[in-house]
Amino acid sequence: MKLQKNNRAVRTISGKVYMINQIKLPFKEEIFVPENYKETCKAVKTMVVRGAGSIGAAAGFAMMQAAFEAPKNNSKEFLLKVKTEIEETRPTARDLFAAVDRVFKKALISPEEAEKEAQKIADETSEAGRKIGEYGNELIKDGFGILTHCNAGPLALVEYGSALAPIIKAHQNGKNIIVYVDETRPRNQGAKLTAWELQKAGVPHVIIVDNAAGLLMQQGKIDIVITGADRIAANGDTANKIGTFEKAVLAKEFDIPFYIAAPDSTFDENCPAGHEIKIEERSENEILYVSGIDEKGKEKTIRIANPGSVAYNPAFDITPAKYISGFITSKGVVSVNNLQIKQ
Ligand code: MRU
């Protein structure tokens, strides 16, 4: 896939923020340009930009915009208020908090320093994905069937991706692989975004419903599971898109290696264990309705659930460390026992 420097999932040029509008994909390729920090916050909340690493970069850019927008006389007070506002957009992804913290400190010096720091975060996130790809590629053998959940590709991590970086690298290295893409209800990030990215990269893939993974494992079609992460606690417990946990349990049952790919910014040394991770709850409408295009290419949202019923929509779950074979990081592949969280 070629999300080149000029076309990264999220980036800044001269204080302006550019992001690929992920809500429109895969049907339309559009760039969204939020005019101020409030619009960037809204883009994060509504998932115009999503995926832990890209959320982190976007949050850093929102803080940068706030630095430019701050009133001269009480800028610290303003920046502190904005910091909380950004943090409340999506509470689970650790990258968001790490980025906002870093850019906030620089924003207290000047908007230009804030911009440099925000861009640095986006660059670091991109580079981490590239390295994750190199290390993770070693785990993938010729002929492998690979299961992935949600979207942890270039869209989700600024440029190369986390879980998809090793997969795309393995394909580029000539390995014959097939990727089983969980559709990932309720928002279908797998069916829409991961499939779009894999198609662009020319990687053979097939979309499956979320509850097909058990059968495919039983049939011997899956050799490895790789997903991304939104927050990794100090003991290795990992928050990722709802449904990840059950895939990990199934993988253990069938003795299939289950790996989490993530940059340093996703590891949270201040969070001792998974039960401390705040799980975002999103609107029930994400479950009750689906969006797509009709046969004429017109965008449509339709209700698919019983009118009158309500829904409950936790966006993430926690996979206990005991189910995780290892973490693919920008420094190499490490097991839970060797996990040393340092930022
Ligand atoms: O709610 P989303 O779409 O932002 O959730 C995304 C995921 O769960 C990804 O797998 C995760 O962010 C890791 S990839 C950087």
Side-chain angles (χ1 to χ4, degrees), residues 187-296:
R187 290 184 69 106
N188 294 315
Q189 291 98 325
K192 287 180 168 171
L193 306 176
T194 302
W196 180 78
E197 290 174 329
L198 290 174
Q199 186 180 36
K200 284 220 171 220
V203 182
H205 63 280
V206 50
I207 298 165
I208 58 171
V209 292
D210 292 331
N211 36 10
L215 176 72
L216 269 67
M217 288 184 187
Q218 202 173 42
Q219 291 174 334
K221 291 191 166 115
I222 313 285
D223 299 289
I224 189 169
V225 184
I226 311 178
T227 76
D230 284 81
R231 191 181 291 255
I232 301 168
N235 71 344
D237 293 351
T238 296
N240 194 49
K241 181 53 56 189
I242 191 84
T244 304
F245 170 39
E246 60 183 46
K247 306 300 176 292
V249 176
L250 278 167
K252 199 166 187 77
E253 168 69 18
F254 292 103
D255 221 3
I256 296 166
F258 180 95
Y259 282 92
I260 295 286
D264 288 358
S265 44
T266 309
F267 290 85
D268 186 354
E269 62 182 344
N270 296 318
C271 175
H275 64 267
E276 303 251 333
I277 299 176
K278 182 166 183 194
I279 308 252
E280 177 185 2
E281 289 176 17
R282 294 186 61 86
S283 162
E284 63 171 1
N285 288 344
E286 292 185 346
I287 293 175
L288 303 174
Y289 295 82
V290 289
S291 304
I293 56 166
D294 67 14
E295 64 287 353
K296 293 191 179 107

Side-chain angles (χ1 to χ4, degrees), residues 22 47 49-55 90 93 95 149-153 156-157 161-163 187 189 193 227-230 239-242 244 261-263 266 280 282 315-316:
Q22 299 192 39
M47 291 165 78
V49 59
R50 50 142 300 284
S54 291
I55 290 173
R90 300 225 44 206
D95 299 63
H149 191 69
C150 196
N151 171 264
L157 207 87
S162 50
R187 290 184 69 106
Q189 291 98 325
L193 306 176
T227 76
D230 284 81
N240 194 49
K241 181 53 56 189
I242 191 84
T244 304
T266 309
E280 177 185 2
R282 294 186 61 86
F316 300 94

Side-chain angles (χ1 to χ4, degrees), residues 95-170:
D95 299 63
L96 181 148
F97 291 80
V100 172
D101 246 18
R102 280 177 59 177
V103 181
F104 171 74
K105 284 182 191 130
K106 298 290 179 180
L108 293 176
I109 304 168
S110 73
E112 290 72 24
E113 286 296 314
E115 180 170 16
K116 262 193 251 161
E117 189 70 0
Q119 186 54 51
K120 196 163 164 233
I121 290 166
D123 291 343
E124 285 171 11
T125 308
S126 158
E127 179 58 10
R130 195 186 65 73
K131 288 187 181 149
I132 286 168
E134 299 280 348
Y135 289 119
N137 160 56
E138 301 293 325
L139 298 168
I140 300 172
K141 306 277 171 272
D142 193 44
F144 262 22
I146 305 163
L147 179 73
T148 191
H149 191 69
C150 196
N151 171 264
L155 291 165
L157 207 87
V158 178
E159 197 168 6
Y160 294 90
S162 50
L164 285 202
I167 294 171
I168 293 172
K169 190 75 198 164

